[in-house]
Amino acid sequence: DVVLTQTPPTLSATIGQSVSISCRSSQSLLDSDGDTYLNWLLQRPGQSPQLLIYSVSNLESGVPNRFSGSGSETDFTLKISGVEAEDLGVYYCMQATHAPLTFGSGTKLEIK
Amino acid sequence: QVTLKESGPGMLQPSKTLSLTCSFSGFSLSTSGMVVSWIRQPSGKSLEWLAAIDWDGDKYYNPSLKSRLTVSKDTSNTQVFLKITSVDIADTATYYCALGVRDWGQGVMVTVSS
């Protein structure tokens, strides 16, 4: 199975601060169709996960543009440019290039 | 508007079979490209993909659990089911169904306890 390693495991930020989360894959996530199926999800406390970014850098509809994704092959980054209070929760990367789908261990974002 | 809702027994004993139902609206599972997955999350831990079924009836399983899992759908394509045999305390988790990775249900908590 593809192992996704997220760092840091926890992140403490003030409102307005910019932060980044790293996701490293044990295998290249570049699919034979040319796409890279690396997504980012946010799970707010007590809620289901919600999709933020799909295929590395595509912003899901309705998601604020302070969220951005980048990367390729095995190294990926989620950046929040100007954290807001509603951004607290656990961020997960997940891959859908290789079966079975797998998720990172999560990065908990706390607001100072 | 796509909505999914999971239902299950809440609690069951070790060695029993867990039966879960995902009831959905806002899309048809008979439409090409549609895939409904089951994913679980033990309390305080990350997510684990379990199984999926697509519009064509093809089924996909996590190899680590494949021998215990059965995913199916109803003929009206409005519900998807998951059965897990021989449950253990380690199967205690919140179980989600999801359409692709975009739309998730609220989850149903399942506790395995004697």
Side-chain angles (χ1 to χ4, degrees):
Chain A
D1 296 2
V2 172
V3 176
L4 298 177
T5 302
Q6 282 185 240
T7 54
T10 60
L11 203 47
S12 185
T14 56
I15 301 299
Q17 182 180 351
S18 292
V19 298
S20 293
I21 299 170
S22 170
C23 177
R24 289 191 169 177
S25 173
S26 60
Q27 301 177 35
S28 173
L29 298 183
L30 177 61
D31 193 61
S32 56
D33 66 3
D35 206 341
T36 300
Y37 297 102
L38 186 285
N39 308 314
W40 290 94
L41 307 168
L42 165 62
Q43 187 173 32
R44 294 188 172 99
Q47 296 187 17
S48 305
Q50 69 168 103
L51 181 65
L52 297 176
I53 303 278
Y54 63 94
S55 296
V56 180
S57 59
N58 295 281
L59 196 65
E60 172 65 359
S61 176
V63 174
N65 60 12
R66 62 179 178 274
F67 291 94
S68 62
S70 62
S72 63
E73 302 274 359
T74 60
D75 289 334
F76 305 93
T77 301
L78 174 71
K79 183 177 181 179
I80 310 173
S81 300
V83 167
E84 298 193 5
E86 66 181 18
D87 299 338
L88 73 91
V90 181
Y91 291 80
Y92 295 99
C93 57
M94 67 154 290
Q95 66 82 25
T97 297
H98 303 286
L101 276 65
T102 52
F103 296 83
S105 54
T107 295
K108 185 176 183 178
L109 176 62
E110 301 171 339
I111 307 298
K112 288 181 185 175
Chain B
Q1 180 188 4
V2 171
T3 63
L4 303 100
K5 186 173 183 179
E6 308 85 349
S7 58
M11 181 177 288
L12 75 166
Q13 295 178 327
S15 81
K16 301 298 186 183
T17 295
L18 170 61
S19 294
L20 298 168
T21 299
C22 173
S23 302
F24 55 83
S25 63
F27 69 96
S28 174
L29 192 47
S30 61
T31 300
S32 178
M34 295 296 174
V35 181
V36 172
S37 291
W38 285 97
I39 298 147
R40 70 180 179 182
Q41 183 177 39
S43 180
K45 297 188 178 180
S46 185
L47 300 148
E48 179 181 32
W49 178 82
L50 301 176
I53 188 165
D54 70 13
W55 78 99
D56 209 22
D58 290 330
K59 303 171 184 180
Y60 309 88
Y61 295 103
N62 191 319
S64 66
L65 291 159
K66 183 176 182 178
S67 64
R68 299 172 53 212
L69 301 178
T70 303
V71 64
S72 60
K73 59 178 179 169
D74 72 337
T75 53
S76 64
N77 286 297
T78 59
Q79 290 184 316
V80 169
F81 310 101
L82 181 69
K83 289 188 186 296
I84 306 178
T85 60
S86 304
V87 297
D88 180 76
I89 292 174
D91 295 308
T92 295
T94 295
Y95 287 76
Y96 297 98
C97 61
L99 173 62
V101 295
R102 180 165 282 113
D103 299 286
W104 293 63
Q106 64 189 25
V108 61
M109 287 187 61
V110 175
T111 301
V112 179
S113 174
S114 55

